Amino acid sequence: MHGQGVCPHMRTLLALSIIALAVAPATVASQVYFADAKLQAAVKDALGITTDPTEEDMKRLDKLDAGNQGITDLTGIEHATNATYLDLGRNDEIRDLSPLSGLESLTYLDV
């Protein structure tokens, strides 16, 4: 600094930083909607988290053992795109299996 405030080089650096932040894409993880609180609780337990799962969290879910939990709706599980093992057996009120249709990594499924 030259005793006159911010030097021209610092102004340029500051301006470039502001521009970079303004055009940078947002990296906010979006939360996954679960219609069934019991499914959400099972997913949180499997992931070892206490917060509501995000789409990024769901990509980490590879195994879910949630048999006989009283789950009635699978909405939200469609985000578990890397899941290889899902045990949802003995949840006799599940009627719609469409959230499972895109889970192409599954090697074990019990519903």
Side-chain angles (χ1 to χ4, degrees), residues 42-63:
V43 166
K44 287 166 68 171
D45 187 51
L47 289 169
I49 61 175
T50 57
T51 59
D52 292 340
T54 65
E55 290 179 11
E56 287 300 311
D57 291 328
M58 293 299 289
K59 289 178 184 175
R60 292 188 301 107
L61 184 68
D62 61 346
K63 178 180 179 181

Side-chain angles (χ1 to χ4, degrees), residues 12-79:
T12 302
L13 183 59
L14 180 60
L16 290 174
S17 297
I18 291 170
I19 292 168
L21 287 173
V23 297
T27 57
V28 176
S30 58
Q31 285 184 330
V32 171
Y33 169 74
F34 288 90
D36 189 306
K38 292 174 185 172
L39 176 60
Q40 183 180 29
V43 166
K44 287 166 68 171
D45 187 51
L47 289 169
I49 61 175
T50 57
T51 59
D52 292 340
T54 65
E55 290 179 11
E56 287 300 311
D57 291 328
M58 293 299 289
K59 289 178 184 175
R60 292 188 301 107
L61 184 68
D62 61 346
K63 178 180 179 181
L64 180 64
D65 195 354
N68 200 28
Q69 300 292 312
I71 295 168
T72 61
D73 193 315
L74 297 178
T75 301
I77 201 68
E78 66 272 14
H79 297 282

Side-chain angles (χ1 to χ4, degrees), residues 58-108:
M58 293 299 289
K59 289 178 184 175
R60 292 188 301 107
L61 184 68
D62 61 346
K63 178 180 179 181
L64 180 64
D65 195 354
N68 200 28
Q69 300 292 312
I71 295 168
T72 61
D73 193 315
L74 297 178
T75 301
I77 201 68
E78 66 272 14
H79 297 282
T81 53
N82 294 316
T84 59
Y85 179 101
L86 291 181
D87 180 357
L88 298 164
R90 300 160 315 282
N91 289 297
D92 299 332
E93 299 299 315
I94 295 173
R95 298 288 178 249
D96 181 9
L97 299 179
S98 64
L100 302 174
S101 65
L103 303 184
E104 298 176 3
S105 297
L106 285 178
T107 57
Y108 178 86

